[in-house]
Amino acid sequence: MGFQETPSLCGFGEERLQILYSHVYKKNIEKYRNPKLDPNNKAWIYWFLARLLLERITEYCEKQTPKERRGKDKLRIIFSRRGGLIYQDFADYLWKMYWQRDTDEMVLNYKQIAWSVIDHDEVFVYDHSRFAGLQLADIIAGAFYQAVEQNRGGAAECDPSCAKLLKPLIHYKGISWYLGVGLKPMPALHEMGLAASQKQIFNHYGANEGSWQKKE
């Protein structure tokens, strides 16, 4: 059972660090086909996850920006370089979402990117070794991967211990609402068909009995 993970770090000053993380269950999308996409392009899921993250990251950043600075202070987006990805595709996707923001063409419109903090010229890709932040993102990805992956080198059970330790840094709303905010599962939890051991980490971050039941 495989998961695809895309973590992100938002840092503000030396004493403030917030983590927002997107987690998708690949088993649910193995047979999905979009006729509008090149069937040989396997990167679409990566860019889609980046979009889910940006919707939440930009919302957070905009709220942290004083009103008099909004539209002036911008988010810098840095990808860790990996094979098989054409980063211009993401830049094009970002522009496409920008032009669709005020239309009814958005297929998924539950949230939108907060465009006041986006600068299309502030999207970069660097080697993993260049910035500690990129390495931290990999550590976070690894922690959540181990929390849900059952085929860990022959290990039978998931190990959510490290991902649980990150809870003080995961962004949340209200008193302690993490799911869909700092931790974004995709698809909905009740659609994943997870084993009990895989549910542990989501329960730790606020899922309850109703989260695993199909909504009527």
Side-chain angles (χ1 to χ4, degrees):
M1 295 185 179
F3 278 80
Q4 175 78 38
E5 62 285 320
T6 304
S8 179
L9 300 175
C10 279
F12 291 87
E14 297 180 354
E15 299 180 357
R16 188 167 194 171
L17 174 68
Q18 290 282 286
I19 296 173
L20 297 97
Y21 182 87
S22 181
H23 218 43
V24 66
Y25 191 29
K26 291 194 291 186
K27 183 179 179 181
N28 295 81
I29 58 172
E30 285 176 348
K31 297 181 180 180
Y32 175 79
R33 297 292 181 271
N34 186 334
K36 296 182 180 180
L37 293 176
D38 178 355
N40 296 316
N41 184 354
K42 307 300 182 183
W44 65 268
I45 185 60
Y46 193 81
W47 305 135
F48 178 67
L49 287 175
R51 170 201 171 165
L52 294 181
L53 277 173
L54 275 180
E55 288 173 348
R56 288 151 181 82
I57 291 169
T58 56
E59 178 185 51
Y60 174 79
C61 291
E62 186 178 64
K63 288 182 178 179
Q64 297 299 316
T65 303
K67 290 184 178 180
E68 65 273 14
R69 297 292 308 170
R70 290 183 184 177
K72 300 177 182 178
D73 294 345
K74 301 295 182 178
L75 177 69
R76 174 165 292 177
I77 303 168
I78 302 178
F79 287 100
S80 178
R81 193 187 311 277
R82 57 182 292 178
L85 294 179
I86 301 173
Y87 292 91
Q88 183 59 43
D89 287 349
F90 174 76
D92 294 341
Y93 183 38
L94 194 61
W95 272 112
K96 180 178 181 179
M97 289 187 288
Y98 176 76
W99 293 117
Q100 289 180 334
R101 70 193 189 282
D102 295 324
T103 71
D104 294 326
E105 298 179 31
M106 296 288 284
V107 176
L108 182 65
N109 57 9
Y110 173 71
K111 278 185 174 290
Q112 286 206 31
I113 291 172
W115 294 101
S116 71
V117 299
I118 290 292
D119 183 339
H120 293 271
D121 292 327
E122 287 292 326
V123 181
F124 301 94
V125 54
Y126 292 111
D127 290 333
H128 166 92
S129 59
R130 183 163 178 179
F131 293 109
L134 297 178
Q135 297 164 35
L136 280 173
D138 280 346
I139 292 171
I140 295 162
F144 279 94
Y145 177 81
Q146 297 295 336
V148 292
E149 181 60 34
Q150 291 185 309
N151 300 315
R152 301 181 302 109
E157 294 297 328
C158 309
D159 180 9
S161 58
C162 292
K164 287 181 177 181
L165 292 175
L166 293 170
K167 192 171 184 178
L169 295 176
I170 298 293
H171 181 48
Y172 63 89
K173 284 185 177 179
I175 298 176
S176 59
W177 190 253
Y178 295 89
L179 294 178
V181 184
L183 177 61
K184 171 59 180 174
M186 190 70 183
L189 293 178
H190 70 271
E191 296 178 355
M192 288 188 179
L194 301 183
S197 60
Q198 293 175 303
K199 293 180 180 180
Q200 291 181 60
I201 190 61
F202 298 106
N203 290 336
H204 181 74
Y205 280 95
N208 53 41
E209 185 176 347
S211 304
W212 304 104
Q213 297 175 357
K214 184 177 180 179
K215 306 298 187 293
E216 298 297 337

